[in-house]
Amino acid sequence: MVLTDKQRTDLHAGIYEYLLSRGPAFAATAEALAQADPEARSSNSSTDNSKTDGNDDEPSNSNGTSPRKTTPSSATPVLEKKWTAVPRLQKRVLELERQISSNQRIHAHRAGFSGGTASAPLDSTTASGGIRERRMLPRPPAQHSLQSHSSGITALALHPIYTLAASGSEDGTIKLWDHESGDYLRTLRGHTNVVTSVDFCPKGGGYLVSCSTDLSIKIWDVKDNFVCVRTLRGHDHTISCVRFVPPPLGAVFLEGGKIGSVEG
């Protein structure tokens, strides 16, 4: 690599400053460098003058140069700072490369993903005139494996804002999870039979609705108390699904052909 004149001058000035900071044992070497490249001394002197308080009464040596004091430990020479910065940058580069490699494995199933960038949009036309296959199915490895239910899982819902997931099961319980960390949070008990559907309020509120083959619909407070705040009955057969209707209708939900509402 060829250095520019400015880079070469800065390098010599940094070496000169470093040699001076090492004490009298390196003074002769520093002087030899200054004689070979006088700009190293002048560049370093201008840097020193900008850091001092203007003390111009220091005596001169026989060769006309001002005596140099050893750089205090708190004032690390520029060359040392740059030298120690190189390993830190190399470590950061390795971390970024590992992160890119991990992202490539996670998103390799997505069409158009290549080397951390999208090479083409989904469903785009290929060079042969065909349509690029849309691949949205997840691929292993899984980010988390959540296990706690004692029977089969029949329903799952994700909170629209928080990293909260709710799962319903044939064991009649609803379990809450932090799907980002994979941590189990708590269990909601109240249904006496299979939970067939769960859904969070789309407004981002703290309500979860669930239905079960026990012919009941339950509204849960999942923000503060994690308790059932209301139980709705009226069906004569199994309730297969329940959903909140998005705004502007508010906290209104549909359940098995009937319409209900949640107040508060």
Side-chain angles (χ1 to χ4, degrees):
M1 181 180 65
V2 179
L3 298 178
T4 64
D5 293 339
K6 181 64 169 59
Q7 291 174 332
R8 186 178 294 104
T9 300
D10 291 342
L11 175 61
H12 290 174
I15 297 174
Y16 181 72
E17 180 188 14
Y18 172 75
L19 293 174
L20 291 178
S21 69
R22 303 305 298 171
F26 293 85
T29 305
E31 185 60 29
L33 176 61
Q35 292 179 0
D37 185 3
E39 293 185 1
R41 175 185 296 167
S42 61
S43 177
N44 185 71
S45 298
S46 62
T47 303
D48 290 344
N49 291 337
S50 64
K51 297 179 181 179
T52 59
D53 295 331
N55 185 8
D56 298 331
D57 297 332
E58 294 183 358
S60 300
N61 292 332
S62 58
N63 57 7
T65 61
S66 299
R68 301 280 179 173
K69 295 182 180 180
T70 302
T71 303
S73 58
S74 60
T76 307
V78 176
L79 188 63
E80 290 188 10
K81 293 180 180 179
K82 293 184 178 181
W83 188 271
T84 55
V86 171
R88 291 198 301 269
L89 293 175
Q90 290 176 337
K91 181 180 179 181
R92 180 58 179 163
V93 168
L94 292 176
E95 292 176 352
L96 292 175
E97 289 178 346
R98 285 194 294 268
Q99 184 176 355
I100 292 174
S101 178
S102 177
N103 290 337
Q104 288 176 338
R105 290 194 300 271
I106 294 174
H107 302 290
H109 65 281
R110 296 185 178 180
F113 185 86
S114 176
T117 59
S119 59
L122 295 175
D123 294 339
S124 61
T125 303
T126 62
S128 60
I131 302 298
R132 181 185 296 273
E133 180 184 2
R134 189 178 182 90
R135 301 177 60 192
M136 297 300 294
L137 295 177
R139 296 290 186 271
Q143 186 174 3
H144 299 294
S145 180
L146 312 179
Q147 298 179 350
S148 180
H149 286 288
S150 59
S151 190
I153 298 172
T154 56
L156 182 67
L158 300 179
H159 196 281
I161 297 179
Y162 307 114
T163 59
L164 184 65
S167 59
S169 171
E170 293 178 349
D171 59 15
T173 64
I174 300 170
K175 295 185 182 292
L176 300 180
W177 315 81
D178 185 334
H179 62 74
E180 185 174 287
S181 63
D183 294 336
Y184 161 78
L185 300 179
R186 64 178 62 231
T187 299
L188 305 179
R189 304 181 186 276
H191 288 293
T192 58
N193 213 324
V194 177
V195 178
T196 56
S197 180
V198 292
D199 191 34
F200 284 103
C201 179
K203 294 177 63 177
Y207 290 109
L208 172 73
V209 62
S210 63
C211 62
S212 169
T213 57
D214 62 7
L215 308 183
S216 70
I217 297 171
K218 292 183 178 293
I219 311 297
W220 306 86
D221 177 5
V222 294
K223 184 177 181 181
D224 298 320
N225 301 321
F226 295 94
V227 296
C228 177
V229 296
R230 186 171 300 178
T231 299
L232 308 176
R233 301 183 185 276
H235 282 279
D236 298 326
H237 299 282
T238 298
I239 307 172
S240 58
C241 185
V242 62
R243 286 290 182 269
F244 278 100
V245 177
L249 295 180
V252 178
F253 59 90
L254 301 176
E255 37 86 13
K258 292 190 176 182
I259 300 180
S261 64
V262 181
E263 297 180 356

